[in-house]
């Protein structure tokens, strides 16, 4: 896991702005969803096209928090990334044609091809009956047209999102930012998140707590689930 703490000058800035550090002392368990993003072989497996090595270290924490959320009546949602092939390209050509080198483009598109829900996830994750599976085709699972996540959340009466997975500063942060814009209450869970470096991980979370939501370690989340 990434070593993590929010620097004191950021804490001071947050408190000066809103009069307190954390937004929520209690989390309403039955209105809470644990949203786990992109914990799939494309990003977790050694040698995969978009490997995030640190993602393997957070699997145990994700499993523990998922079990706690289920036990308290919350919802666990597994979000995986998938892009459809369109001709010689994909349904996200603006990304694959410009941000991925030609020699790895086909391998990355193949790795992100749609698969049955359980097969899409890293094999060490503990998935239970009653969990929800959602596929997205953009960084944010809440970007317009990216997935059905918002409809799932609204239908289930969810107000609070606990966000985990990889990468902290890309798909996870993007989803969390959009959640706040859509009037949900997002919480990033640092010891259930992974990036490509400690610096990127911390920068994302320090930005997030100032402007978009809360940041709690998994043990703190479990204590606050009401």
């Amino acid at each position: 896991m990434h070593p993590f703490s929010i620097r004191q000058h950021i804490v001071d800035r947050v408190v000066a702005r809103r009069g307190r550090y954390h937004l929520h002392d209690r989390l309403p368990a039955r209105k809470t969803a644990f949203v786990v993003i992109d914990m799939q072989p494309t990003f977790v497996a050694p040698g995969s096209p978009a490997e995030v090595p640190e993602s393997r270290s957070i699997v145990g924490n994700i499993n523990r928090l998922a079990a706690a959320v289920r036990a308290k009546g919350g919802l666990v949602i597994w979000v995986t990334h998938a892009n459809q092939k369109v001709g010689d390209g994909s349904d996200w050509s603006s990304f694959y044609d410009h941000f991925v080198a030609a020699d790895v483009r086909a391998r990355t598109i193949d790795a992100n091809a749609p698969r049955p829900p359980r097969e899409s996830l890293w094999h060490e994750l503990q998935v239970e009956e009653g969990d929800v599976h959602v596929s997205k085709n953009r960084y944010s699972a809440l970007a317009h047209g990216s997935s059905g996540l918002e409809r799932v959340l609204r239908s289930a009466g969810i107000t609070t999102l606990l966000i985990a997975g990889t990468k902290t500063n890309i798909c996870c942060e993007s989803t969390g930012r959009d959640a706040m814009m859509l009037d949900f209450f997002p919480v990033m869970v640092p010891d259930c998140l992974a990036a490509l470096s400690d610096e990127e991980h911390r920068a994302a979370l320090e930005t997030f707590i100032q402007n978009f939501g809360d940041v709690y370690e998994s043990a703190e989340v479990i204590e606050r689930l009401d």
Side-chain angles (χ1 to χ4, degrees), residues 92-198:
W92 196 7
S93 59
S94 62
F95 172 73
Y96 285 103
D97 292 353
H98 301 285
F99 290 85
V100 182
D103 59 334
V104 296
R105 185 177 299 131
R107 191 161 69 102
T108 306
I109 292 174
D110 286 342
N112 281 337
R115 289 176 174 78
R118 190 61 189 90
E119 293 179 19
S120 300
L121 292 168
W122 182 242
H123 65 277
E124 294 179 349
L125 293 167
Q126 295 170 1
V127 182
E128 299 290 342
E129 187 176 353
D131 294 352
V132 175
H133 297 266
V134 173
S135 175
K136 65 179 176 66
N137 62 9
R138 295 295 186 272
Y139 290 144
S140 170
L142 289 169
H144 179 69
S146 173
S147 81
L149 178 61
E150 183 181 0
R151 182 170 293 179
V152 168
L153 298 172
R154 303 285 189 202
S155 296
I158 298 297
T159 60
T160 302
L161 275 60
L162 309 173
I163 297 177
T166 192
K167 300 173 186 174
T168 311
N169 56 320
I170 301 181
C171 294
C172 299
E173 184 181 7
S174 296
T175 300
R177 287 184 178 215
D178 283 345
M180 183 269 188
M181 305 293 185
L182 293 168
D183 299 320
F184 295 102
F185 300 110
V187 178
M188 297 283 268
V189 187
D191 58 333
C192 293
L193 289 161
L196 287 174
S197 70
D198 296 343

Side-chain angles (χ1 to χ4, degrees), residues 187-213:
V187 178
M188 297 283 268
V189 187
D191 58 333
C192 293
L193 289 161
L196 287 174
S197 70
D198 296 343
E199 293 78 11
E200 290 164 290
H201 181 74
R202 184 174 72 178
L205 296 171
E206 288 187 336
T207 298
F208 199 84
I209 199 164
Q210 293 180 75
N211 298 285
F212 298 100

Side-chain angles (χ1 to χ4, degrees), residues 24 26 35 38 42 53 72 85 92 100 136 147 165 168 198 222:
H24 309 290
R26 307 300 301 169
V35 181
D38 289 355
T42 306
K72 297 200 176 192
K85 285 189 175 182
W92 196 7
V100 182
K136 65 179 176 66
S147 81
T168 311
D198 296 343
I222 293 169

